[in-house]
Amino acid sequence: MNTLFRVALSGDFRKADDSAVYPDFDLRPLLKAPGVEIAYLDSASPLRSNDLEEFDALILLAHRFAPESAPRNGRLSIIARFGVGYDTVDVPTCTAADIALATTPDGVRRPVAVSIMTLILALTGKLMVKDKLTRQGPAGFAIRGEHMGVGLVGKVLGSLGIGNIGAELFRLAKPFDMKFIAHDPFADPELAAALGVELVGLDDVFSRADIVTVNCPLTAETRHLVNAERLALMRPTSFFINTARGPIVDQRALTDVLTRRQIAGAGLDVFEQEPTDPADPLFKLDNVIVTPHALCWSDQCFAGNGAADIRAVLDIQHGRIPRGIVNQAVLANPGFQRKLEEYRRQFAH
Ligand SMILES: NC(=O)c1ccc[n+]([C@@H]2O[C@H](COP(=O)([O-])OP(=O)(O)OC[C@H]3O[C@@H](n4cnc5c(N)ncnc54)[C@H](O)[C@@H]3O)[C@@H](O)[C@H]2O)c1
């Protein structure tokens, strides 16, 4: 029997000098929790199974949990992803190994929706161009009339996905008096109606929206969902925004329509290759605003993600099922239930 509940943090939470990479992630609730001990892993990615054998829980930033990462001794009980994307985690492996996978929808919902609004307002308001003109002095002022922005009233805001972030985007955009459309094969029609969102077919989002945003997960089905054919449905006045995952978009096809000015512009926080290649022709274009998969990163986002992960880990330590488990199937596994019972017996008093 293990007398301590041991929590691993993936090595990318720690700098070479041992200090925290993200001090807004407040570890104190974990450090103060009775019976809990924490330790950092090294920088191996995918994670190595041997390194995980001495732990009950793992808080995971960007490193990969691959099939070969599963510890063989069966102790690990929860992986708490710092964020909501879990394309870096092999979910069937977790379920087979009696490991629950938790994410932090409460932490990212508002920050990502805000970053989409930031890109919408920057693109339609020509923010980057006008910043440049101002720095040029009189020459820039003289041509400012050539760079009119685009008003949002009555424009159509479209989303691929109306989940955690997609729904929050519509909530935030409400006072801008736009029309809302979304495509989501698993949409909740009541939620859509409550938000004033018309649910439409996939291609309709591209042909009808003045601003197309991507808010679905990266899965085998959504890889290159945004391809040349769908981008060709957009108008020369339309904008495209992706803050979800890079490979949902065929980036070559997107670069092509932007280069030919077949769409007005794009705002991109995510890319097919990350970190990006500075030589990529995409970065030569002036109708694109790019951010390094970090536009939503803020003190509040990181504090929120950290708090949600710690809540999930301490729930497991007390034998409780955390909210929002991704692999719900694990809850029925006798092996997982036995682990929870043992934690309850040991720590829940
Ligand atoms: N840029 C960042 O830093 C950042 C941060 C957090 C999340 N994200 C990404 O944002 C995306 C959305 O996150 P979320 O929390 O809203 O997830 P979510 O699971 O709550 O919502 C995703 C929605 O997409 C829908 N969907 C699934 N397949 C679809 C398809 N083929 N077409 C259209 N919709 C489909 C689902 O039904 C669901 O409603 C994810 O890709 C996530 O990885 C990015």
Side-chain angles (χ1 to χ4, degrees):
M1 191 185 67
N2 305 304
T3 53
L4 283 172
F5 187 88
R6 298 197 73 238
V7 181
L9 282 96
S10 58
D12 43 359
F13 278 112
R14 190 171 61 161
K15 290 188 195 163
D17 68 2
D18 275 4
S19 62
V21 178
Y22 305 117
D24 293 309
F25 178 7
D26 182 3
L27 287 169
R28 280 173 302 180
L30 213 48
L31 296 169
K32 280 193 317 214
V36 173
E37 182 176 270
I38 75 167
Y40 288 92
L41 299 177
D42 66 18
S43 59
S45 177
L47 301 177
R48 288 183 297 250
S49 64
N50 285 350
D51 295 346
L52 291 170
E53 292 204 335
E54 299 307 311
F55 294 100
D56 300 276
L58 165 67
I59 300 182
L60 179 65
L61 191 57
H63 288 165
R64 294 192 81 80
F65 183 87
E68 67 271 23
S69 306
R72 285 180 207 92
N73 65 351
R75 176 167 174 180
L76 190 69
S77 304
I78 179 167
I79 297 177
R81 252 286 294 144
F82 194 89
V84 294
Y86 51 87
D87 40 298
T88 52
V89 179
D90 191 279
V91 182
T93 298
C94 292
T95 309
D98 299 326
I99 300 167
L101 171 63
T103 61
T104 58
D106 296 344
V108 300
R109 180 184 309 115
R110 176 61 62 90
V112 182
V114 166
S115 58
I116 301 168
M117 281 311 299
T118 304
L119 290 170
I120 293 175
L121 296 174
L123 283 166
T124 57
K126 300 269 160 72
L127 180 69
M128 304 298 273
V129 179
K130 292 186 186 188
D131 174 278
K132 222 164 158 183
L133 292 184
T134 317
R135 293 164 198 268
Q136 289 165 4
F141 273 65
I143 56 167
R144 63 192 167 169
E146 292 167 26
H147 296 280
M148 284 294 164
V150 176
L152 293 176
V153 176
K155 292 286 178 350
V156 179
L157 173 60
S159 175
L160 300 175
I162 180 173
N164 183 42
I165 292 165
E168 185 75 353
L169 170 66
F170 289 123
R171 278 182 212 107
L172 284 188
K174 193 161 186 343
F176 288 88
D177 296 322
M178 305 171 81
K179 293 186 187 119
F180 295 161
I181 62 173
H183 170 73
D184 187 329
F186 315 103
D188 171 357
E190 278 181 27
L191 171 73
L195 293 171
V197 178
E198 181 189 350
L199 293 173
V200 299
L202 175 59
D203 288 351
D204 295 329
V205 174
F206 294 88
S207 59
R208 285 179 54 189
D210 296 290
I211 301 162
V212 174
T213 67
V214 184
N215 296 297
C216 60
L218 172 62
T219 62
E221 288 75 39
T222 65
R223 187 172 291 272
H224 282 200
L225 184 73
V226 181
N227 57 17
E229 290 75 48
R230 300 212 164 97
L231 289 167
L233 299 171
M234 292 179 68
R235 292 183 299 270
T237 49
S238 304
F239 294 95
F240 177 80
I241 291 173
N242 186 11
T243 58
R245 282 292 181 269
I248 299 171
V249 179
D250 178 343
Q251 198 169 301
R252 258 176 211 238
L254 177 64
T255 306
D256 191 50
V257 293
L258 286 163
T259 308
R260 295 167 191 269
R261 310 272 157 175
Q262 285 169 348
I263 67 171
L268 305 172
D269 186 48
V270 288
F271 306 89
E272 284 201 84
Q273 181 194 322
E274 295 180 11
T276 46
D277 174 2
D280 189 320
L282 181 68
F283 304 121
K284 303 281 180 291
L285 300 174
D286 63 3
N287 53 351
V288 182
I289 299 177
V290 289
T291 51
H293 200 151
L295 187 56
C296 80
W297 290 17
S298 67
D299 51 351
Q300 295 187 353
C301 180
F302 276 55
N305 283 347
D309 273 348
I310 290 178
R311 236 182 352 255
V313 163
L314 293 181
D315 274 342
I316 290 285
Q317 188 210 5
H318 290 83
R320 297 187 295 260
I321 295 168
R323 224 155 55 83
I325 294 294
V326 172
N327 56 342
Q328 288 284 318
V330 79
L331 304 179
N333 286 6
F336 179 74
Q337 290 172 350
R338 268 197 301 278
K339 289 198 246 186
L340 275 193
E341 256 168 49
E342 181 57 29
Y343 290 137
R344 213 173 294 135
R345 207 186 52 67
Q346 212 178 331
F347 298 107
H349 36 71

